[in-house]
Amino acid sequence: GALLALNKPPGLPVLGQTGEVNLSELLPALRRRLGHHAEFHVVKAPARECSGLTLLSSCYQTTKQLQQFFANARQRGQFPVTYHAVTVRVPAEVQGEIRTGLQWQKQGDTAVVVPVSVPGYRSLARKDVKNTLTRYQVLGAARGCALLQLQPRTAFPKQLQVHLMLLLCPALGDHQYSARVGRVLGVPFLLPLEAAPACTQVLDEELVTQLGLNPWQLRHLPLHLHLHRLELP
């Protein structure tokens, strides 16, 4: 009917800056190529750095109904969105939940998302901090890496990357938040923000060899966070 699903590659934003290729600019060409008479709207799409399922609609009413459905589902405590992630390290527990407050914080010239373990009532009321929740399950593990199923119940920018960081199992290709997971004698721990500026993800030499990457390729390794499934009404 009115719905069309695409597999978005990592690095492609839904909306981009001037002169930047983005999904919205490509929709008219896609409509012409498919011979479709109506314009497409983006119902649901992963963030720029993520890959995966992108849901389009050629019916404005359908778009609004589905977007309202996803918002209502989160408020009812449901998990209609499922991601898959490849992580560096395997979680200690095969399944569980990650709960924390999240907020934006200035770091140099950029802003990063940081966890707030016990957010205050006033910060929540002002919406400076948002309580977030992600449910996870280990689907498989090999050679120090894991395939995780992630189901966020809340929506906050970078939520899944930060939650995986708190799990001490950052996503493969996370060059922004993985630096906060340090190791001493092989035991991982969380570094303070000021001690861990964003940098190319540091991987074990054995893993780099298995991936067949040189240092230049490692800097451009994409984030292995994939929007895998959407449940529709």
Side-chain angles (χ1 to χ4, degrees):
L3 296 180
L4 176 68
L6 304 177
N7 183 20
K8 186 186 83 67
L12 179 66
V14 174
L15 296 171
Q17 300 173 352
T18 304
E20 182 181 39
V21 176
N22 61 76
L23 179 62
S24 296
E25 284 186 347
L26 298 174
L27 293 183
L30 176 65
R31 177 176 61 83
R32 291 192 297 270
R33 185 166 182 173
L34 295 177
H36 209 282
H37 67 281
E39 293 184 0
F40 286 118
H41 311 280
V42 178
V43 178
K44 194 79 172 173
R48 171 199 294 261
E49 62 272 10
C50 301
S51 62
L53 178 59
T54 299
L55 189 64
L56 308 177
S57 167
S58 59
C59 171
Y60 182 77
Q61 190 63 30
T62 300
T63 301
K64 286 299 182 184
Q65 288 176 347
L66 288 176
Q67 289 176 340
Q68 189 62 50
F69 163 77
F70 287 118
N72 292 342
R74 288 195 299 267
Q75 293 170 1
R76 291 193 297 265
Q78 298 173 342
F79 298 80
V81 180
T82 301
Y83 282 79
H84 280 178
V86 177
T87 63
V88 179
R89 290 190 70 258
V90 182
E93 303 291 337
V94 296
Q95 62 183 12
E97 292 184 344
I98 308 155
R99 296 173 180 266
T100 187
L102 292 179
Q103 70 174 6
W104 286 100
Q105 182 173 316
K106 199 78 169 161
Q107 186 184 36
D109 297 330
T110 61
V112 296
V113 177
V114 297
V116 181
S117 55
V118 186
Y121 172 78
R122 290 184 179 178
S123 61
L124 290 170
R126 293 194 305 265
K127 298 185 178 180
D128 296 334
V129 180
K130 180 176 180 177
N131 280 321
T132 59
L133 166 64
T134 299
R135 189 166 62 185
Y136 78 88
Q137 180 178 353
V138 178
L139 301 179
R143 301 184 182 183
C145 292
L147 175 65
L148 264 60
Q149 175 180 283
L150 302 170
Q151 292 180 303
R153 208 188 85 180
T154 51
F156 196 92
K158 316 289 184 180
Q159 174 177 320
L160 295 180
Q161 288 171 256
V162 176
H163 282 188
L164 290 174
M165 175 194 78
L166 293 175
L167 204 58
L168 302 178
C169 299
L172 183 65
D174 184 353
H175 306 297
Q176 187 171 15
Y177 295 95
S178 62
R180 289 201 59 190
V181 180
R183 281 188 298 180
V184 172
L185 300 177
V187 179
F189 67 99
L190 197 63
L191 287 163
L193 179 64
E194 59 275 9
C199 63
T200 301
Q201 187 175 34
V202 178
L203 301 176
D204 291 339
E205 187 175 339
E206 181 182 358
L207 179 57
V208 174
T209 301
Q210 292 170 356
L211 293 172
L213 300 175
N214 60 43
W216 183 88
Q217 291 171 320
L218 186 57
R219 289 198 300 269
H220 298 279
L221 182 67
L223 182 67
H224 283 54
L225 189 55
H226 183 82
L227 179 48
H228 176 68
R229 187 175 74 235
L230 294 173
E231 294 184 13
L232 302 181

